[in-house]
């Protein structure tokens, strides 16, 4: 029974290797199913039916109408990588990394996760399955399944289906499905150890795998156990010289040249060298004081020495704050799993699987850098109601710690401006500990004289995350500590009696080391976030042939599914009250119940007709009812056609309607603190400036007052990047229409050559997303909607008394449309060299035609943001050439990324500058620049990376063998061009600075 229902067979291998009817049993390439049928004289036996991702109907040939890509165990092993998401992204061009160790350094909750997404439509629109099953999420931010929670030794292969698959698997499969297939046939024990490191230092990895599979009770049962430990030691700022290069780049619209910040201000790059570049911070360990344009004398501490030459010299005496940023966050992952199949009778099999993972990441960051005007939101800890913003505030002029020299400088308005990095409190650290349990058990069997199969199972999953954020600052207590007085006996204390009763210690910010441990203890905060996510599920279905048509039997699936997801987010008291420098994360609970019914039909329409060797169609329908007010009952459906014109030539097409309901966080979350980089639209504002939005900027009370006070005032953007996200109870479901069209060619005159080309068009309407900070500002200041309190976008922007933005609230909305269009090409060729071995070539290529977001502005206009070719290549490819002879395997892999532009907004801004300059030149103005420079750091050419791996197996005895393997990734150490927008001046998709990576390992089996 177990063999009949679950054993992967030769047909599965053939599907995984494309059109070829002669797939090597141990071939380990990525393959796209070519979906052809063997010629009549090749069909020597009735092929076994199997289940392939994309449908629950068992297939008896290559009649898969939806594009499918696979990657098997050998191909995964040959990469030398431990992280499954890194492996898949490197080798499957349609995939991209959503969260990883090189992209989540600044994240609060997701550091250490490892997730992927299809078509750049977001991880919430890519459904990650294990053995075709939904599993519990690893983040409250969304339905994110972290691939480092799955034991690598458990993975047999990975199947990816692109395009809407919600009719088969339910919500979240808008862009497609990533299905992790676990081992089900391995017999015996194997142990594997691997280590690797960048040849330039850093990025050291070490992993151990222990796996055991066996049949028992005369073959009635099968058990498999897998345990895995991976350690990523990370990479620091000091591991890469490029990361230590200081740069602060801009384009000067008056001089029409690229400028870089220097000690003498912004200079045209053509006139300086890289040695002149500087980008330093005023967050000194000893503090900076009176840093304001109104103070002619500004002070700073060189260690414990007070100096008065800070003004205009920040880029000389400041520090490079990037030194505190990890280029690759360290992580430690342990996972283990066991699965069991057992034939209870000849017709009923019991199966079960339990997976457990313990994942830890530790992100070491900078000590907090704070200043007098920094804001932190406060809340009623009981109700969660906002109470406003709190600031540390200026140091009072009568504070007894203020040096006389600073007092003698006659501070502006008797205010002592300050900025200081709190080294004595300690480096901020984020310690994330995650534990995940995934389990399911069920029965499957046959009925109606073994003509139909049935399956029923229940599942339970629980994810728990404990996060400790150490050495943040309590802004309320810091403000209290700055209000100090000196008693007659020389004792200095906090002036607030109530604060003193709670233990307030007056703080001395003047000079490095001036903060004692008692002072640090009073203002230190170590906030904690505990997250628990649970998932309960039950699914049952039957599948078999309904009746016969002239072209063959009509196969069907009928089933139902229930799922309950809940999420409970709890925080420590200091987070509940707010007022700390850490992002505010609210306590909230939410749950959702989903009842679903689904059906699939596979109809054979023609066989062996003129121009139609075969013609089949697939129909799928899923109706789901959600316990959400604005969602209710929704339907997803799919129509697929597979037309094999003649031997080796086929056409396939699909239309799918997919639905995605909002996540619990998208629906219910109160404002959650976050920081995003953005430019203030009011930057450069003067009494007469004409930039977009500046007419309304001058209506801002704070900016209007500053202009009235000083007619020559020019506003210099110094926003704090605070941009909290908030859910929206009024959200409804997304609706996606997905079209795929493909052709596949396997000409008989070129044996073992396969080519598949598939076009996709995904359009998501009512897409759940938020507007960018730039677009929120545009809607407030530069749209047809009137500026002011009646404009909801203006209400989401808060400025301080110096005019700087201190908060932009990003709300979730059902926006108009997300669009992803492009095509995939897959080619494969296998050649038998006879006594010299075998060669296998594989190419996977993806071209993006469009990737965009469109929303309708309140003023009636549509705003479209294009992502294709901006920040990411339109063209991606992965190619491999594998040579095998006996037990030796050598694989050469090449990864290709096409050219791209760094920033759409920067390009649009630059084009505006060119237009303004052309107008000046047409007017004959003296300010005309006759030869404006091209925008720098914008256009990036193509990128190639080459990997080499070698594997050799030694047979030690009839029952044991030893496999030695090793290789070099990025053989020619191509780190890509200088990329100032990226972490460490590296582009993350070029490897984030890892460079050449060498690894070696050994595997012992018996």
């Amino acid at each position: 029974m177990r063999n009949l229902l679950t054993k992967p067979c030769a047909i599965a291998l053939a599907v995984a290797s494309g059109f070829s009817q002669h797939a090597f049993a141990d071939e380990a390439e990525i393959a796209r199913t070519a979906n052809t049928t063997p010629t009549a004289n090749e069909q020597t036996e009735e092929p076994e039916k199997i289940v392939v991702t994309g449908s629950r109907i068992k297939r008896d040939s290559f009649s898969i109408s939806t594009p499918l890509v696979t990657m098997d165990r050998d191909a995964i092993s040959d990469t030398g990588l431990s992280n499954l998401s890194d492996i898949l992204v490197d080798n499957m061009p349609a995939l991209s990394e959503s969260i990883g160790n090189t992209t989540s350094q600044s994240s609060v909750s997701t550091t250490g996760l490892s997730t992927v997404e299809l078509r750049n439509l977001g991880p919430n629109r890519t459904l990650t399955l294990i053995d075709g099953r939904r599993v519990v999420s690893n983040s409250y931010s969304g339905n994110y399944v972290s691939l480092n929670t799955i034991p690598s030794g458990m993975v047999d292969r990975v199947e990816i289906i692109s395009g809407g698959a919600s009719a088969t698997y339910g919500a979240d499969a808008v862009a497609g499905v990533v299905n992790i297939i676990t081992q089900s046939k391995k017999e015996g024990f194997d142990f594997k150890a691997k280590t690797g490191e960048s040849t330039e230092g850093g990025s050291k990895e070490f992993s151990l795998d222990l796996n055991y599979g066996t049949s028992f009770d005369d073959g009635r049962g099968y058990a498999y156990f897998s345990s895995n430990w991976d350690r990523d030691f990370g990479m620091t700022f000091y591991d890469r010289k490029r990361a230590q290069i200081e740069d602060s780049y801009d384009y000067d619209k008056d001089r029409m040249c690229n400028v870089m910040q220097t000690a003498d201000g912004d200079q045209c790059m053509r006139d300086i060298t890289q040695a002149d570049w500087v980008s330093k911070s005023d967050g000194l360990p000893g503090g900076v004081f009176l840093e304001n344009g109104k103070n002619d004398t500004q002070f700073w501490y060189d260690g414990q020495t007070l100096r008065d030459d800070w003004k205009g010299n920040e880029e000389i005496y400041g520090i490079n704050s990037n030194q505190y940023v990890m280029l690759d966050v360290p992580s430690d992952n342990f996972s283990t799993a066991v699965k069991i199949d057992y034939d209870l009778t000849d017709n009923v099999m019991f199966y079960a699987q339990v997976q457990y993972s313990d994942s830890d990441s530790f992100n070491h960051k900078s000590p907090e850098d704070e200043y007098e005007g920094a804001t932190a939101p406060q809340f009623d800890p009981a109700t969660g109601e906002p109470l406003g913003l709190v600031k540390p505030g200026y140091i009072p002029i009568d504070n007894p710690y203020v040096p006389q020299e600073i007092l003698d400088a006659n501070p502006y308005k008797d205010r002592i401006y300050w900025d200081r990095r709190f080294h004595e409190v300690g480096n901020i650290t984020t310690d994330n500990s995650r534990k995940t349990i995934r389990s399911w058990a069920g029965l499957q069997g046959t009925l109606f004289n073994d003509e139909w199969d049935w399956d029923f199972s229940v599942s339970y999953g629980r994810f728990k995350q404990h996060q400790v954020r150490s050495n943040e600052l309590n802004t309320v207590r810091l403000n209290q500590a700055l209000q100090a007085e000196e008693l007659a006996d020389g004792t200095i204390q906090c002036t607030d009696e109530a604060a003193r009763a709670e233990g307030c210690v007056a703080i001395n910010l003047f000079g490095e080391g001036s903060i004692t441990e008692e002072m640090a203890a009073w203002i230190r905060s170590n906030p904690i976030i505990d997250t628990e996510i649970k998932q309960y599920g039950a699914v049952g279905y039957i599948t078999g042939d309904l009746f016969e048509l002239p072209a063959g039997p009509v196969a069907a699936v009928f089933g139902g599914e229930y799922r309950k997801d809940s999420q409970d987010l709890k925080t420590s008291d200091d987070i509940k009250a707010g007022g700390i420098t850490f992002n505010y994360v609210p306590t909230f609970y939410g749950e959702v119940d989903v009842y679903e019914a689904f059906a699939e039909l596979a109809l054979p329409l023609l066989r062996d007709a003129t121009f139609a060797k075969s013609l089949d169609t697939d129909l799928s329908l899923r109706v789901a009812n959600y316990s959400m007010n604005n969602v209710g009952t929704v339907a997803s459906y799919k129509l697929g056609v597979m037309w094999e014109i003649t031997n080796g030539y086929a056409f396939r097409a699909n239309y799918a309607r997919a639905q995605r309901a909002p996540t619990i966080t998208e629906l219910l979350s109160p404002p959650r603190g976050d920081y995003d980089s953005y430019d203030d639209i009011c930057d450069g504002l003067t009494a007469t400036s004409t930039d977009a939005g500046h007419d309304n900027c001058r209506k801002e009370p704070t900016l209007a007052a500053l202009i009235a006070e000083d007619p020559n005032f020019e506003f210099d953007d110094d926003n704090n990047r605070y941009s909290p996200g908030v859910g929206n109870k009024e959200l409804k479901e997304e609706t996606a229409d997905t079209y795929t069209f493909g052709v596949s060619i396997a000409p008989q005159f070129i044996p073992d050559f396969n080519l598949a080309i598939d076009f996709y068009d995904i359009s998501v309407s009512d897409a759940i997303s938020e507007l960018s900070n730039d677009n929120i500002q545009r809607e407030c200041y530069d749209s047809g909607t009137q500026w002011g309190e009646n404009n909801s976008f203006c209400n989401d922007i808060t400025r301080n008394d110096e005019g700087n933005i201190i908060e932009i609230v990003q709300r979730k909305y059902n926006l108009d449309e997300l669009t992803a269009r492009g095509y995939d090409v897959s080619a494969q060729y296998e050649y038998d060299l006879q006594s010299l071995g075998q060669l296998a070539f594989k190419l996977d290529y993806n071209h993006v035609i469009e990737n965009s977001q469109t929303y309708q502005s309140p003023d009636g206009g549509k705003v479209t943001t294009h992502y294709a070719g901006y920040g990411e290549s339109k063209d991606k490819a992965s190619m491999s050439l594998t040579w095998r002879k006996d037990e030796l395997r050598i694989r050469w892999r090449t990864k290709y990324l096409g050219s791209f532009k760094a920033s759409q907004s920067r390009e649009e801004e630059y084009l505006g500058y060119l237009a303004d300059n052309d107008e000046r030149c047409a007017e004959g103005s003296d300010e005309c620049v006759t030869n404006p420079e091209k925008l720098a750091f914008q256009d990036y050419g193509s990128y190639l990376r080459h990997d080499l791996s070698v594997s050799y197996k030694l047979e030690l005895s009839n029952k044991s063998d030893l496999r030695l393997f090793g290789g070099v990734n990025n053989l020619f150490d191509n780190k890509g061009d200088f990329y100032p927008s990226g972490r460490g001046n590296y582009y993350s998709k070029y490897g984030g600075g890892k460079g050449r990576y060498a690894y070696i390992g050994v595997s012992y089996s018996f």
Side-chain angles (χ1 to χ4, degrees):
M1 180 65 187
R2 176 177 63 84
N3 292 339
L4 173 65
L5 291 179
T6 65
K7 181 181 179 181
C9 57
I11 292 294
L13 291 172
V15 169
S17 58
F19 290 95
S20 174
Q21 309 308 318
H22 308 286
F24 296 110
D26 59 348
E27 176 55 38
E29 290 288 350
I30 305 167
R32 178 177 301 277
T33 56
N35 307 317
T36 65
T37 309
T39 57
N41 60 358
E42 291 172 326
Q43 293 178 327
T44 58
E45 62 181 63
E46 184 70 19
E48 181 182 348
K49 294 182 179 182
I50 62 166
V51 173
V52 179
T53 299
S55 172
R56 284 190 169 91
I57 293 177
K58 294 188 177 184
R59 308 291 176 159
D60 59 4
S61 69
F62 298 94
S63 53
I64 311 298
S65 64
T66 308
L68 179 73
V69 180
T70 70
M71 186 174 186
D72 72 10
R73 190 173 180 82
D74 281 353
I76 291 171
S77 176
D78 283 349
T79 65
L81 301 174
S82 301
N83 193 311
L84 184 58
S85 68
D86 291 341
I87 294 170
L88 298 182
V89 169
D90 263 357
N91 292 275
M92 296 182 167
L95 279 176
S96 59
E97 184 178 58
S98 175
I99 304 170
N101 284 0
T102 61
T103 60
S104 62
Q105 298 92 330
S106 60
S107 173
V108 174
S109 63
T110 61
T111 301
L113 294 182
S114 177
T115 66
V116 296
E117 60 183 275
L118 279 161
R119 310 301 187 198
N120 287 318
L121 287 174
N124 271 335
R125 298 182 185 91
T126 296
L127 183 60
T128 300
L129 306 172
I130 301 177
D131 288 335
R133 297 179 179 275
R134 283 177 169 271
V135 292
V136 67
S137 171
N138 291 112
S139 173
Y140 72 81
S141 298
N143 293 324
Y144 304 162
V145 175
S146 184
L147 299 187
N148 58 13
T149 63
I150 303 168
S152 58
M154 199 77 176
V155 179
D156 180 62
R157 68 187 186 277
V158 180
E159 297 179 346
I160 295 179
I161 178 173
S162 57
S166 291
T168 302
Y169 297 108
D172 309 324
V174 171
V177 167
V178 177
N179 193 8
I180 313 298
I181 311 297
T182 62
Q183 290 273 17
S184 61
K185 59 184 178 181
K186 176 182 171 54
E187 298 280 347
F189 168 90
D190 71 66
F191 171 80
K192 183 174 74 172
K194 179 183 70 67
T195 185
E197 186 173 3
S198 169
T199 57
E200 197 174 332
S203 291
K204 183 178 180 180
E205 295 181 2
F206 182 75
S207 66
L208 294 174
D209 284 290
L210 179 66
N211 307 295
Y212 178 68
T214 184
S215 298
F216 61 93
D217 195 12
D218 295 326
R220 293 177 65 87
Y222 175 78
Y224 186 79
F225 168 82
S226 179
S227 191
N228 169 255
W229 176 55
D230 290 324
R231 178 74 186 272
D232 183 341
F233 291 83
M235 185 166 59
T236 73
F237 165 91
Y238 297 101
D239 288 326
R240 293 293 179 268
K241 291 182 179 179
R242 187 192 293 186
Q244 300 167 38
I245 297 174
E246 299 177 27
D247 54 89
S248 178
Y249 164 77
D250 205 348
Y251 193 89
D252 190 306
K253 62 182 179 180
D254 297 320
R255 291 177 285 178
M256 295 301 292
C257 70
N258 297 284
V259 296
M260 190 67 73
Q261 187 170 264
T262 73
D264 297 320
D266 286 351
Q267 300 292 320
C268 291
M269 290 175 59
R270 64 187 176 225
D271 301 327
I272 58 176
T273 66
Q274 191 179 92
D276 298 309
W277 298 4
V278 292
S279 179
K280 297 190 183 299
S281 165
D282 56 3
L284 298 183
V288 173
F289 304 92
L290 304 189
E291 187 183 26
N292 180 275
K294 299 293 185 180
N295 289 311
D296 293 328
T297 305
Q298 299 175 9
F299 296 85
W300 68 288
Y301 273 90
D302 187 357
Q304 295 180 344
T305 302
L306 181 63
R307 296 177 55 170
D308 63 0
D309 57 345
W310 179 260
K311 188 171 185 177
N313 292 320
E314 177 176 333
E315 305 309 329
I316 298 176
Y317 301 132
I319 63 172
N320 183 0
S321 59
N322 287 331
Q323 65 186 285
Y324 302 106
V325 179
M326 298 290 296
L327 302 184
D328 183 5
V329 178
S331 62
D332 202 336
N333 301 299
F334 170 78
S335 54
T336 189
V338 62
K339 66 184 297 184
I340 294 175
D341 298 339
Y342 189 78
D343 293 339
L344 299 176
T345 70
D346 289 342
N347 295 313
V348 179
M349 185 188 78
F350 167 81
Y351 61 90
Q353 186 169 159
V354 178
Q355 297 183 358
Y356 170 80
S357 75
D358 190 333
S359 178
D360 298 283
S361 65
F362 189 82
N363 193 4
H364 200 74
K365 305 178 70 120
S366 162
E368 184 62 43
D369 179 11
E370 194 72 328
Y371 72 105
E372 77 288 330
T375 59
Q378 284 186 290
F379 300 85
D380 184 317
T383 66
E385 291 297 314
L387 300 177
L389 300 173
V390 63
K391 296 185 287 188
Y394 306 100
I395 300 175
I397 198 72
D398 59 354
N399 183 298
Y401 287 119
V402 180
Q404 187 62 43
E405 189 175 349
I406 292 180
L407 295 176
D408 293 341
N410 191 25
Y412 170 64
K413 287 188 176 181
D414 284 344
R415 294 175 174 178
I416 297 181
Y417 291 80
W418 61 274
D419 193 311
R420 193 183 195 280
R421 201 173 297 271
F422 286 74
H423 272 257
E424 298 91 339
V425 177
N427 287 68
I428 292 174
T429 59
T430 304
D431 189 354
N432 277 310
S433 176
R434 301 180 175 93
K435 292 177 172 58
T436 307
I437 294 175
R438 300 186 177 109
S439 62
W440 56 87
L443 299 171
Q444 59 179 213
T446 62
L447 42 74
F448 306 139
N449 296 320
D450 294 337
E451 294 295 323
W452 283 65
D453 297 330
W454 61 268
D455 190 302
F456 177 79
S457 63
V458 294
S459 62
Y460 168 75
R462 186 185 70 185
F463 166 72
K464 296 186 73 173
Q465 176 173 324
H466 179 69
Q467 178 183 290
V468 179
R469 179 86 164 194
S470 301
N471 302 322
E472 293 284 355
L473 303 182
N474 186 312
T475 303
V476 175
R477 289 188 168 190
L478 177 55
N479 177 269
Q480 293 170 339
L482 290 175
Q483 317 305 311
E485 61 186 5
E486 185 173 6
L487 303 180
D489 62 0
T491 302
I492 299 176
Q493 66 177 16
C494 300
T495 58
D496 188 327
E497 183 177 352
R500 289 201 306 272
E502 293 181 6
C504 179
V505 180
I507 195 167
N508 179 7
L509 300 185
F510 298 93
E512 191 170 346
S514 63
I515 300 176
T516 66
E517 178 51 39
E518 291 77 14
M519 297 174 185
W522 171 248
I523 64 173
R524 182 184 292 119
S525 179
N526 299 320
I528 297 173
I529 303 175
D530 284 306
T531 304
E532 183 175 53
I533 302 174
K534 293 182 180 179
Q535 183 181 89
Y536 302 88
V539 59
Y541 62 90
I542 60 172
T543 178
D545 296 338
L546 281 176
F547 53 84
E548 288 278 340
L549 291 177
V554 175
V557 169
F558 302 100
E561 185 170 355
Y562 167 75
R563 185 173 70 257
K564 179 175 183 175
D565 292 292
S566 67
Q567 137 181 332
D568 192 6
L569 195 65
K570 297 179 180 178
T571 62
S572 53
D573 291 342
D574 46 2
I575 296 183
K576 291 176 183 176
I580 58 177
T581 50
F582 179 63
N583 285 352
Y584 173 72
V585 179
T587 296
F588 72 99
Y589 174 85
E591 63 181 47
V592 60
D593 292 277
V594 187
Y595 296 87
E596 298 178 293
F598 56 86
E600 298 181 51
L601 292 176
L603 294 92
L605 303 180
L606 292 174
R607 286 291 183 274
D608 299 319
T610 304
F611 299 116
K613 181 174 176 57
S614 66
L615 178 63
D616 300 271
T617 184
D618 296 332
L619 299 171
S620 302
L621 171 67
R622 178 179 288 255
V623 179
N625 181 266
Y626 289 83
S627 59
M628 299 178 183
N629 291 336
N630 290 344
V631 178
T633 301
V634 297
S636 300
Y637 42 87
K638 186 189 82 167
L639 168 64
V641 175
M642 182 68 192
W643 174 26
E644 187 183 4
I645 303 168
T646 186
N647 286 333
Y649 299 88
F651 170 80
R652 58 188 172 205
N654 280 274
Y655 164 70
R657 165 64 61 89
Q659 310 279 3
R660 184 180 83 86
T663 67
I664 294 173
T665 297
E666 289 172 335
L667 200 69
L668 300 176
S669 174
R672 305 183 321 280
D674 194 10
Y675 288 86
D676 296 315
S677 294
Y678 57 85
D679 295 321
D680 191 335
I681 195 173
C682 299
D683 185 37
L685 178 73
T686 67
T688 59
S689 57
T690 59
D691 291 359
H694 279 203
D695 285 343
N696 283 325
C697 287
R698 279 185 282 270
K699 297 177 183 178
E700 285 283 355
T702 53
L703 295 174
L706 291 168
I707 292 174
E709 182 180 347
D710 179 6
N712 297 319
F713 170 80
E714 181 174 351
F715 177 61
D716 185 17
D717 175 22
D718 189 24
N719 71 78
N720 65 354
R721 304 184 299 110
Y722 187 58
S723 182
V726 63
N728 183 350
K729 293 182 179 180
E730 302 304 315
L731 291 175
K732 62 179 182 178
E733 74 277 3
E734 299 178 342
T735 300
D737 290 305
T738 299
Y739 299 88
T740 61
F741 306 93
V743 294
S744 50
I745 302 171
Q748 293 182 337
F749 58 87
I750 310 179
D752 298 318
F753 171 76
N754 314 299
L755 175 67
I757 303 173
D758 288 285
F759 169 81
Y760 62 89
D761 186 325
I762 304 173
S763 178
V764 185
S765 59
D766 296 319
I768 300 170
S769 186
E770 67 277 335
L771 298 186
S772 69
N773 290 306
D774 290 335
N775 280 333
I776 291 172
Q777 293 183 73
R778 191 195 71 82
E779 292 297 342
C780 173
Y781 295 102
D782 187 33
S783 71
T785 306
Q786 185 176 4
W787 176 90
E789 62 182 14
N790 292 327
N791 184 326
S792 61
F793 294 100
C794 292
N795 296 331
D796 286 338
I797 301 173
T798 304
R799 295 180 180 271
N800 62 15
D801 55 8
E802 294 183 349
N804 282 299
I805 294 177
I806 55 176
E807 180 181 86
I808 298 181
V809 177
Q810 287 189 310
R811 302 180 186 277
K812 293 292 184 182
Y813 296 99
N814 286 107
L815 300 177
D816 275 10
E817 188 175 52
L818 296 177
T819 300
R821 292 190 300 124
Y823 57 86
D824 300 309
V825 178
S826 181
Q828 178 177 305
Y829 180 56
E830 296 171 357
Y831 188 71
D832 192 345
L833 299 173
Q834 304 300 327
S835 62
L836 297 179
Q838 301 159 337
L839 275 179
F841 168 81
K842 186 70 178 72
L843 170 70
D844 279 281
Y845 167 75
N846 169 246
H847 174 73
V848 177
I849 297 172
E850 181 180 1
N851 194 308
S852 63
Q853 178 197 71
T854 299
Y855 74 93
Q856 186 164 331
S857 173
D859 62 9
K862 286 195 172 183
V863 179
T864 300
T865 302
H866 293 278
Y867 302 107
Y870 290 100
E872 183 154 357
S873 305
K874 288 185 177 182
D875 299 280
K876 302 178 186 178
S878 177
M879 184 272 293
S880 67
L881 182 64
T882 306
W883 175 67
R884 302 167 180 271
K885 188 178 188 311
D886 300 327
E887 303 301 335
L888 176 65
R889 182 173 73 241
I890 299 176
R891 191 188 304 264
W892 182 280
R893 294 186 302 122
T894 297
K895 178 179 180 178
Y896 169 82
L897 296 176
S899 60
F900 69 95
K901 295 179 181 293
S903 170
Q904 180 184 1
S905 61
R906 179 170 289 173
E907 181 178 70
E908 291 174 348
E909 187 177 59
Y910 170 69
L911 293 175
Y913 295 160
L914 286 179
D916 292 342
N917 184 64
D918 290 342
E919 186 175 334
R920 292 195 297 267
C921 293
E923 295 171 351
S925 170
D926 293 338
E927 297 178 349
C928 165
V929 178
T930 57
N931 189 23
E933 283 189 356
K934 183 181 178 182
L935 194 63
F937 305 121
Q938 173 71 357
D939 295 295
Y940 289 82
S942 58
Y943 171 87
L944 280 174
R945 195 194 78 192
H946 302 277
D947 304 336
L948 176 66
S949 64
V950 179
S951 173
Y952 184 70
K953 186 164 67 175
L954 297 166
E955 188 173 313
L956 302 180
S957 67
N958 291 335
K959 294 186 178 181
S960 67
D961 56 63
L962 184 72
R963 185 171 68 92
L964 304 175
F965 62 93
V968 180
N969 293 340
N970 200 353
L971 192 64
F972 302 113
D973 196 23
N974 185 0
K975 299 186 185 71
D977 293 335
F978 191 88
Y979 193 72
S981 302
R983 190 77 63 186
N985 298 312
Y986 293 103
Y987 182 50
S988 63
K989 291 178 175 57
Y990 292 165
K994 177 184 284 190
R996 184 186 294 114
Y997 176 83
Y999 63 93
I1000 190 170
V1002 59
S1003 175
Y1004 175 65
S1005 304
F1006 65 88

